[in-house]
Amino acid sequence: MEHRGRIQAQGGGLEASESWSSSTPPTKQEGLDLIDKLERKIPLAEAMVRKKAFEQARTFVERATANGGADAQVSISFPKGIKVKGIQVDIEVIKGKAFVP
Amino acid sequence: MVHHLFKDFLENQEVYVLNENDWKDQFDNLLSQNGTSLVCREWLKTRFSNGVKFFDGNPIFSVLCPSLNRAVRIIQEELTNDHLVISAWLDEFPTGDDQETIKELVIVLELSEESRDLAKGLIKAWLVENAGCEEMQNLIDKEMTSPLIHRHPRQLQHLLPTHTFLGSLTIMEVHVFYDWPRLFTCQNACGQLFLAVWFDETESADFWLYVNLSPQRLVAIRTGQIDLYDAFRGAENHWVYQVTTYYDERVSQIEAVSCDTIDEDWLPKPGQRLSGASPTELIYGISREILEQVLQQLVDQPFKIEKSAANEEWGTNCKEWETKRAA
């Protein structure tokens, strides 16, 4: 597949992700849906401590779309600030492009 | 107290570029000082497709050494205080072509001379000395636990607000625990119930939302009939309390906030629910708490209780509850 990437929640013993692998780059809505799906699938406590991280990840996706998308390789970690115990959410554009309008 | 560098890198794009170049120079100097012939190249994109730079320090610098299949990513954060602020971990990044992954050292810091020196020490061990992952993790653990490095101390006695009009609170049930209680039910000396949710922190304080609840509403929330968002947004008396608790001895701050004006960022996400207890279990659980307190008062002050139809009915209910509970 030409376009690959993942959104990952990690730290504090958690390792969960939602990935894409497709012939067309994921759109903004598809990116936001993946974030929602990941947030829903992890335990409530894990989601609550990453609330800010998920919000900032959404903001990045929206910002990327407003600027034509994001080209590989991109690796961004949220939330901003020190990630205590590595509790975070990452967006990784591994190959191709993502979050196109 | 540390010596900060490029203080306004997020506000001034010229400073930002100078800051980026400084990281490149620091890295080149590190390699040349150690006489290594390591070939590295810039790695992660920091621009969107239309060429607009991220300009957020996430990352401020990244480099890949293909021969080692190792990378370094540095995230530089806004300055928040005069302490040494730095954190690091090892991660993996898929290459995109196969199952192979790039091993990555990630460093997050508030830039100061001191944090930069620590970061350079870690980069040297990772790329120049090619330290093994276990050795590297040990080094990170050692460096990141230096007493100089700012931590987030938190003691249980500082979680509940003190000296506020909420009264003296006791935690009844913790619903979400992550290092410390993040969502819990508590009760004051008058028996008023509150649901409290943590929503943010700084280096010296935690921020909470408290909402006053009837026992019936608590049951509905506890059983997942009402989601956590509506628990606060739809508060029965239309008000919630924004509470700040400090890690030191400072007195807690409290402010009443109308439900209509609660910042969305403070609220749990819509659709997040508690579950796991049946309404019956909860009714008995909550009633028993209250029951025990009232029974204790009866024992302590037997002469003040007058016999009445209501008391008799209440006593009968208690016995029924106890019988059901025992069964």
Side-chain angles (χ1 to χ4, degrees):
Chain A
M1 291 294 178
E2 202 179 337
H3 305 277
R4 283 183 53 198
R6 66 179 175 182
I7 294 160
Q8 188 178 27
Q10 62 170 322
L14 179 74
E15 186 99 28
S17 66
E18 286 295 325
S19 58
W20 68 87
S21 178
S22 56
S23 54
T24 54
T27 62
K28 168 184 155 184
Q29 193 52 53
E30 286 166 339
L32 295 176
D33 289 347
L34 284 172
I35 294 172
D36 285 346
K37 197 174 171 188
L38 179 60
E39 193 174 18
R40 276 197 306 270
K41 93 172 182 187
I42 61 178
L44 178 59
E46 302 284 359
M48 285 184 82
V49 296
R50 289 173 180 78
K51 183 169 181 281
K52 199 188 277 185
F54 279 116
E55 285 310 314
Q56 290 175 2
R58 288 185 183 94
T59 302
F60 177 82
V61 169
E62 285 166 357
R63 201 173 155 219
T65 304
N67 287 286
D71 298 306
Q73 287 176 316
V74 166
S75 179
I76 314 260
S77 299
F78 304 102
K80 290 172 183 165
I82 290 296
K83 287 96 180 130
V84 181
K85 292 171 70 178
I87 295 168
Q88 65 196 61
V89 172
D90 304 314
I91 293 181
E92 295 173 343
V93 183
I94 298 164
K95 195 177 177 188
K97 198 177 177 82
F99 316 133
V100 293
Chain B
M1 176 119 177
V2 294
H3 302 86
H4 289 136
L5 300 165
F6 301 102
K7 290 180 185 175
D8 54 349
F9 77 109
L10 290 175
E11 287 79 42
N12 185 329
Q13 294 190 352
E14 286 178 18
V15 174
Y16 190 96
V17 173
L18 289 172
N19 194 160
E20 278 183 318
N21 290 335
D22 182 66
W23 274 113
K24 289 172 191 163
D25 292 344
Q26 295 290 332
F27 182 74
D28 289 344
N29 290 341
L30 181 70
L31 294 189
S32 61
Q33 282 166 8
N34 287 279
T36 177
S37 57
L38 209 56
V39 177
C40 300
R41 62 173 169 83
E42 286 185 35
W43 181 35
L44 298 167
K45 296 263 171 61
T46 54
R47 291 177 186 274
F48 295 110
S49 299
N50 65 358
V52 170
K53 273 176 86 79
F54 296 172
F55 274 124
D56 62 359
N58 189 4
I60 188 97
F61 174 77
S62 71
V63 71
L64 173 68
C65 297
S67 61
L68 297 175
N69 203 31
R70 287 187 174 190
V72 171
R73 171 162 55 113
I74 296 175
I75 303 167
Q76 188 175 318
E77 301 288 358
E78 184 180 7
L79 301 177
T80 59
N81 60 56
D82 291 335
H83 300 285
L84 178 60
V85 180
I86 184 168
S87 171
W89 67 90
L90 297 179
D91 209 343
E92 292 188 344
F93 188 92
T95 58
D97 295 324
D98 46 39
Q99 295 304 308
E100 199 177 9
T101 56
I102 295 164
K103 290 189 169 50
E104 180 189 22
L105 167 66
V106 188
I107 300 170
V108 185
L109 49 72
E110 291 181 17
L111 186 61
S112 61
E113 290 175 17
E114 293 78 2
S115 66
R116 190 172 65 184
D117 286 346
L118 268 178
K120 284 162 68 179
L122 293 177
I123 296 169
K124 182 184 170 192
W126 182 238
L127 295 182
V128 178
E129 296 166 0
N130 198 13
C133 289
E134 192 177 335
E135 187 186 346
M136 198 63 209
Q137 190 58 57
N138 289 339
L139 182 63
I140 290 170
D141 292 343
K142 178 172 164 268
E143 296 291 347
M144 299 300 113
T145 52
S146 155
L148 275 174
I149 294 171
H150 175 65
R151 285 278 166 183
H152 294 255
R154 200 174 265 95
Q155 293 177 324
L156 274 176
Q157 68 261 32
H158 296 141
L159 289 179
L160 290 169
T162 51
H163 305 100
T164 72
F165 56 78
L166 298 184
S168 177
L169 296 167
T170 306
I171 292 181
M172 292 174 65
E173 186 180 11
V174 176
H175 307 295
V176 172
F177 187 95
Y178 200 107
D179 295 335
W180 68 89
R182 307 281 184 146
L183 178 75
F184 57 83
T185 313
C186 58
Q187 188 179 36
N188 66 15
C190 300
Q192 287 182 301
L193 295 167
F194 297 91
L195 181 68
V197 66
W198 170 92
F199 68 83
D200 205 357
E201 65 188 318
T202 65
E203 70 276 9
S204 62
D206 280 313
F207 300 96
W208 308 81
L209 271 187
Y210 276 67
V211 63
N212 201 186
L213 301 167
S214 65
Q216 294 85 348
R217 189 166 172 84
L218 175 57
V219 170
I221 293 164
R222 187 63 186 82
T223 53
Q225 294 169 52
I226 295 176
D227 73 7
L228 295 171
Y229 179 90
D230 281 337
F232 292 90
R233 181 66 84 193
E236 287 160 298
N237 58 11
H238 307 292
W239 289 87
V240 298
Y241 306 107
Q242 191 218 321
V243 172
T244 307
T245 54
Y246 296 95
Y247 308 157
D248 54 25
E249 300 309 317
R250 272 177 286 176
V251 174
S252 308
Q253 303 290 312
I254 185 164
E255 186 183 343
V257 179
S258 166
C259 283
D260 304 330
T261 59
I262 306 172
D263 191 322
E264 282 287 321
D265 290 343
W266 302 353
L267 290 163
K269 195 169 167 57
Q272 288 181 328
R273 294 171 195 278
L274 297 176
S275 59
S278 72
T280 315
E281 283 172 334
L282 282 165
I283 289 164
Y284 293 139
I286 293 164
S287 298
R288 188 171 173 78
E289 286 282 327
I290 298 165
L291 213 60
E292 282 176 354
Q293 288 176 17
V294 179
L295 284 170
Q296 190 59 48
Q297 285 172 11
L298 286 172
V299 172
D300 292 344
Q301 301 169 317
F303 304 112
K304 291 183 182 175
I305 302 298
E306 291 179 9
K307 187 171 179 175
S308 69
N311 279 338
E312 281 192 350
E313 185 184 344
W314 179 78
T316 307
N317 285 341
C318 290
K319 282 175 189 167
E320 283 177 10
W321 286 342
E322 287 299 296
T323 307
K324 284 180 187 172
R325 203 167 192 279

